[in-house]
Amino acid sequence: NAGVTQTPKFRVLKTGQSMTLLCAQDMNHEYMYWYRQDPGMGLRLIHYSVGEGTTAKGEVPDGYNVSRLKKQNFLLGLESAAPSQTSVYFCASSDRYQPQHFGDGTRLSIL
Amino acid sequence: GQQLNQSPQSMFIQEGEDVSMNCTSSSIFNTWLWYKQDPGEGPVLLIALYKAGELTSNGRLTAQFGITRKDSFLNISASIPSDVGIYFCAGYSNAGGTSYGKLTFGQGTILTVHP
């Protein structure tokens, strides 16, 4: 009963490097989301997807790209990492207007 | 945009005490959710509320969907050390015409329980 699985759990990058965060869900949810959580800022939506092959921008999309080639997977990419992207990243999934289920997060540090 | 005002921001209580926290908004919400986040983990759903006036319990936790649909409350009875964590309210609103159903989060209540 995995739910939402995020990989990796931790990562340290140098400024300018690129990387991809992977999210996988086994609940057959249509909707998937990427959030970042920073101290004092709460959860902020980066990008979301309402179905396979679709993506859309959230509140703070700059510097990130996403892809949803398969219904169960949602990838978040950083093309050129910046120190301001140091954060904890959470993936979530749900059906429309239903509770979102979260993964355990990826802790990302950009030096 | 829509905002959820969650209070208090933090609470320091003794084991065995009851806890109350709430979320308010100037907008109407159709669904209220309460999550708990333990250190180093993702938010976990505690209670979901779908109708105005609804009162739902989950063990020692009780939450209510306000009659005005603009607020929600979470109560924890007889707190224990493992209740420590951050509690978030969240809500779905149809306002703004978003097709995907934007989930709005409160800023969280940090709960500390002293043994």
Side-chain angles (χ1 to χ4, degrees):
Chain A
N1 190 17
V4 178
T5 303
Q6 292 183 233
T7 54
K9 295 187 184 303
F10 303 93
R11 186 73 183 267
V12 178
L13 291 178
K14 293 181 180 179
T15 298
Q17 288 185 319
S18 63
M19 79 162 294
T20 300
L21 281 64
L22 173 64
C23 177
Q25 55 100 358
D26 62 3
M27 295 172 282
N28 201 36
H29 286 155
E30 288 293 334
Y31 289 55
M32 295 188 74
Y33 316 81
W34 276 107
Y35 293 89
R36 60 178 290 174
Q37 187 177 38
D38 302 293
M41 300 295 290
L43 285 158
R44 293 185 291 170
L45 183 66
I46 304 171
H47 286 281
Y48 65 96
S49 168
V50 300
E52 181 178 319
T54 73
T55 63
K57 295 180 180 180
E59 304 169 61
V60 288
D62 294 342
Y64 306 96
N65 56 77
V66 288
S67 64
R68 187 143 179 228
L69 300 180
K70 294 183 179 181
K71 184 177 182 179
Q72 64 267 34
N73 295 336
F74 196 27
L75 278 62
L76 177 71
L78 286 72
E79 292 185 345
S80 180
S84 61
Q85 294 177 305
T86 293
S87 186
V88 182
Y89 292 86
F90 288 101
C91 176
S93 72
S94 76
D95 286 321
R96 190 180 181 194
Y97 293 122
Q98 293 302 304
Q100 293 182 15
H101 297 267
F102 288 82
D104 281 338
T106 295
R107 282 139 191 86
L108 183 61
S109 292
I110 315 295
L111 304 178
Chain B
Q2 299 157 18
Q3 288 185 327
L4 289 181
N5 300 309
Q6 186 171 350
S7 65
Q9 291 185 330
S10 61
M11 302 182 72
F12 299 84
I13 63 171
Q14 291 294 129
E15 182 177 359
E17 291 183 357
D18 296 343
V19 173
S20 292
M21 58 191 78
N22 69 83
C23 264
T24 60
S25 173
S26 58
S27 304
I28 289 175
F29 282 79
N30 300 312
T31 300
W32 285 94
L33 307 172
W34 285 93
Y35 288 88
K36 182 192 178 195
Q37 185 175 21
D38 290 328
E41 299 184 10
V44 174
L45 180 69
L46 297 174
I47 293 177
L49 302 160
Y50 299 101
K51 296 181 181 180
E54 181 180 355
L55 185 69
T56 298
S57 294
N58 178 6
R60 294 178 294 105
L61 278 62
T62 301
Q64 184 164 22
F65 191 140
I67 291 291
T68 64
R69 296 166 65 191
K70 294 182 178 181
D71 56 10
S72 180
F73 305 87
L74 176 70
N75 296 316
I76 305 173
S77 63
S79 59
I80 59 178
S82 62
D83 289 334
V84 165
I86 305 176
Y87 292 79
F88 290 99
C89 63
Y92 279 118
S93 168
N94 290 340
T98 56
S99 61
Y100 74 97
K102 179 181 183 296
L103 188 61
T104 302
F105 288 89
Q107 291 299 308
T109 295
I110 302 171
L111 179 63
T112 303
V113 180
H114 295 288

